Amino acid sequence: MDPAITGDTNMETILVLAHTEADGSLAKPALEAIAASRNITGTLIVGLIGADTQKAANQIAGCGAAKFLTVTGPEFSQPRYATDAAAAEAIAKAAAATIIIVPHTSRWGRVAAGVAARLSGRADTHVTGISATGITRWYYRQRMEAQMTRTQRPWLIAIDPGCTVPLECAAGTATTTPVAVTVSSRTQVTGIKAPEARQQTIRPDAKLLFVAGAGWTKKQADGATHVPEAAEIILGFLNASKSSLGSSKSLVDISGEGQAVLPFMSHLNQIGQTGSTPRHAKGLSTCCHGEEPHTVGWRFVNERRAISLDPNCGWARGKADVLYVADAFAVMRKVTALLAAK
Amino acid sequence: MSLTYQIVVCGSLVPDPLQTLEPVTTTAGPALKNETMLPAVLDPWAGHALFEAAYLAKNNPGSKVYFVSLAPKAKLQQVMMTVAQKAGFELIAIDGPASGFTEAADVANALADTIKTIPGLDMSKLLVFGGWESASRGAGATMQLVGEKLGITDQFQGVDQITVAADGSFEILERVEGGKHQASKCAGAPAVLGWATGNLPEPPNNPQIGMANMRTIMPALQKAKPAKIAAEGVTFASVALPKQQRQTKIVKDMSADDIAKEIIAWIQQ
Ligand SMILES: Cc1cc2nc3c(=O)[nH]c(=O)nc-3n(C[C@H](O)[C@H](O)[C@H](O)COP(=O)(O)OP(=O)(O)OC[C@H]3O[C@@H](n4cnc5c(N)ncnc54)[C@H](O)[C@@H]3O)c2cc1C
């Protein structure tokens, strides 16, 4: 057997680290990370970081942790490198952890490797599975999947949200052990900038990912472009279906070059090689050619359908389950009308 | 008071994303089939970091951009032919593999050790830029490790914007979940910024900038020291292409009404 994540003869000390939310609770990615830790044999310790950590410890009192170590204080409510790294480092040292599991949220993604370095360990990030014999992760932007393990300890594993069924356990009253950390930072988090609610088109929890490609802005059968109409159809469908909006690079690049083609689109919507790789149960692509640098971003979209005028587009070559060779303007207008009528 | 920066951009090469990639096993671990033959491009997010660095330097006269790259020397030379025309910088090359299967820690050590040798390096002016994730390893680890090695704890990842104030402080926008940005204010350099796409379009090729850069690029490539980059302690049990190849059903000649009904039924399943 691999030296892997070891069995009974060499029990690991597994530390799961999590931040508390603004209301003091633990969010789903944290509960998933605790659930993932159960695939490894060892002693579980939970480390909690936040302005106040007792509510979170109580929420997971029955998770089987031998200890709850906490770093608490207003300075630890801010997602920023200096304070998050110092808190994680202190808890990991107090726990003498050999395996550290964190959810790969933007907050943990910012510090995961740095924390491992401070502990003279190693980190693996964007992990999609943890088992008794190692981890699963992808290389070259979701093009190839590796099963791997490593001998270095501590080993910090950042697991991507959505890869594990979240922990369900009894709440209770947990006894916590505070860990003292003194740290200051030259950085202050000043807030979150989000598009106005009407234009908030990225919805990570949506069942459906709706992707718009550059075809929406191209000349159509009548020889003219119909961009305002495209915008209206896309927003109409998003509002009716509550799906999340993705885009091809070509479309957001046009929007980004001062042409404000579709004002509700930005690079944050971009799916693919230099965009995101979201997780949704279903995906519907429209007016997009389905080239490889785009479709690598669909790796974790389970069921895929596409509407394109081109029967030979990338989607036709094993990338979509169904390709409708049709005019997306006509089809999506109809889809939205039917949804609205329901 | 005018602000000047030393902006060090870390970036490497990746296979052109339009290429088909296939893993193979070698005695040294996993690699890409025909890796040396695959056409390479500048790692896209590192490219955005470079363009943002050049823009920041232009707006703060007296600033200088260094591009520190660990990559196979011969390939780096090829890629530099186009990259050098897009932004002014001084290349510092390190000769080594650009494979995604190597350890971020080894790469970061080589980069940080090289950055420390830059003559006149001034931490109070230093901004270390790079891509927040590579298109090879895709771990988002290297820049953090470089920062740790240089003792920089003001670090930002998924950066789309930096706005410098007159007092040298700056506001940074970092990507967070749900299509939002986290805004932070940092007192000033030194800082590490792992860039996402940023706000600038790719600059057009400018042969004049290319000529100026080339004067330093060729000597830098000749001087490139080899770095030992490996994956010690790591065992790959397998590296494989995804099995999922779909049997695409191609639907032609169906009316828009019927397609719409089918799509609704599918969405609502
Ligand atoms: C380094 C690098 C990184 C990249 N990263 C990404 C990335 O992250 N994401 C990404 O998306 N791309 C990326 N690309 C670009 C990618 O290769 C493609 O160029 C891009 O995805 C094409 O976008 P598109 O399909 O929207 O546009 P097009 O190729 O222009 O395709 C438009 C499609 O719309 C169809 N169409 C037009 N009108 C209609 C209509 N009325 N109804 C139905 N269909 C219609 C056309 O038939 C056509 O198939 C990258 C490329 C490189 C080199």
Side-chain angles (χ1 to χ4, degrees), chain A residues 79 81 106 109-110 122 125-126 137 140 143 145 147 152 186-188 190-191 193 282 302-303 323-324, chain B residues 17 103 133 136-137 139 144 148 154 174 177 181-183 185 188 232 237 240 246 248 251 262 266:
Chain A
Y81 190 90
S106 62
R110 188 184 295 111
R122 289 287 163 92
T125 56
H126 285 305
R137 58 152 302 187
Y140 291 94
R143 298 219 188 182
E145 188 180 28
Q147 311 274 345
Q152 290 98 345
R186 298 157 63 246
T187 295
Q188 288 295 324
T190 54
K193 295 201 170 171
K282 294 176 186 177
N302 301 344
E303 292 180 34
L323 168 66
Y324 298 103
Chain B
E103 284 282 271
E133 286 178 1
S136 47
R137 193 181 306 105
Q144 285 171 46
E148 280 292 322
D154 290 287
E174 288 171 282
E177 284 75 10
H181 283 112
Q182 173 172 300
K185 182 130 187 165
E232 224 168 87
R246 293 157 198 263
T248 309
V251 180
E262 199 172 296
W266 170 65

Side-chain angles (χ1 to χ4, degrees), chain A residues 214 218 220 248-249 270-271 273-274 287 289 291 294 327-328:
Chain A
K218 299 267 162 82
Q220 296 299 310
S248 71
K249 182 175 189 292
Q270 186 184 322
I271 307 295
Q273 177 86 23
T274 42
C287 298
H289 199 75
E291 274 196 43
H294 175 72
D327 175 8

Side-chain angles (χ1 to χ4, degrees), chain B residues 52-108:
Chain B
E52 294 282 347
Y55 182 77
L56 186 62
K58 196 172 124 207
N59 289 331
N60 292 276
S63 299
K64 180 159 179 181
V65 178
Y66 299 86
F67 185 62
V68 181
S69 188
L70 192 163
K73 224 164 50 163
K75 277 208 159 165
L76 186 57
Q77 182 174 342
Q78 283 167 15
V79 171
M80 281 298 124
M81 293 297 163
T82 50
V83 174
Q85 297 194 43
K86 294 189 181 291
F89 57 84
E90 179 177 328
L91 175 71
I92 305 176
I94 312 165
D95 192 22
S99 165
F101 298 110
T102 55
E103 284 282 271
D106 290 357
V107 175

Side-chain angles (χ1 to χ4, degrees), chain A residues 212-216 218 220 247-251 270-275 286-291 293-294 307-310 313 326-329, chain B residues 16-18 41 44:
Chain A
W216 284 104
K218 299 267 162 82
Q220 296 299 310
S247 173
S248 71
K249 182 175 189 292
S250 297
L251 183 57
Q270 186 184 322
I271 307 295
Q273 177 86 23
T274 42
T286 53
C287 298
C288 165
H289 199 75
E291 274 196 43
H294 175 72
I307 307 170
S308 172
L309 288 174
D310 183 353
C313 68
D327 175 8
F329 281 76
Chain B
D16 182 333
L18 295 167
V41 296

Side-chain angles (χ1 to χ4, degrees), chain B residues 30-230:
Chain B
L32 299 180
K33 191 171 173 187
N34 298 327
E35 189 154 346
T36 51
M37 313 287 284
L38 286 170
V41 296
L42 180 62
D43 196 353
W45 275 315
H48 289 290
L50 180 62
F51 308 146
E52 294 282 347
Y55 182 77
L56 186 62
K58 196 172 124 207
N59 289 331
N60 292 276
S63 299
K64 180 159 179 181
V65 178
Y66 299 86
F67 185 62
V68 181
S69 188
L70 192 163
K73 224 164 50 163
K75 277 208 159 165
L76 186 57
Q77 182 174 342
Q78 283 167 15
V79 171
M80 281 298 124
M81 293 297 163
T82 50
V83 174
Q85 297 194 43
K86 294 189 181 291
F89 57 84
E90 179 177 328
L91 175 71
I92 305 176
I94 312 165
D95 192 22
S99 165
F101 298 110
T102 55
E103 284 282 271
D106 290 357
V107 175
N109 281 343
L111 293 174
D113 289 346
T114 304
I115 293 170
K116 284 181 192 161
T117 66
I118 292 176
L121 189 73
D122 180 347
M123 291 299 277
S124 71
K125 296 181 173 178
L126 180 64
L127 295 178
V128 184
F129 282 17
W132 68 322
E133 286 178 1
S134 69
S136 47
R137 193 181 306 105
T142 309
M143 296 312 299
Q144 285 171 46
L145 299 172
V146 169
E148 280 292 322
K149 287 271 293 183
L150 296 173
I152 301 173
T153 58
D154 290 287
Q155 298 201 17
F156 306 89
Q157 296 296 334
V159 176
D160 272 331
Q161 192 169 304
I162 179 170
T163 312
V164 179
D167 64 358
S169 66
F170 41 79
E171 188 194 56
I172 292 200
L173 296 186
E174 288 171 282
R175 290 186 181 187
V176 295
E177 284 75 10
K180 296 177 188 161
H181 283 112
Q182 173 172 300
S184 301
K185 182 130 187 165
C186 178
V192 170
L193 277 70
W195 280 89
T197 309
N199 287 312
L200 304 173
E202 184 169 329
N205 287 351
N206 180 334
Q208 264 172 331
I209 296 180
M211 297 284 277
N213 279 341
M214 272 306 164
R215 279 198 285 277
T216 62
I217 285 176
M218 293 319 284
L221 287 164
Q222 274 154 14
K223 273 195 300 198
K225 291 206 185 92
K228 189 181 167 285
I229 307 293

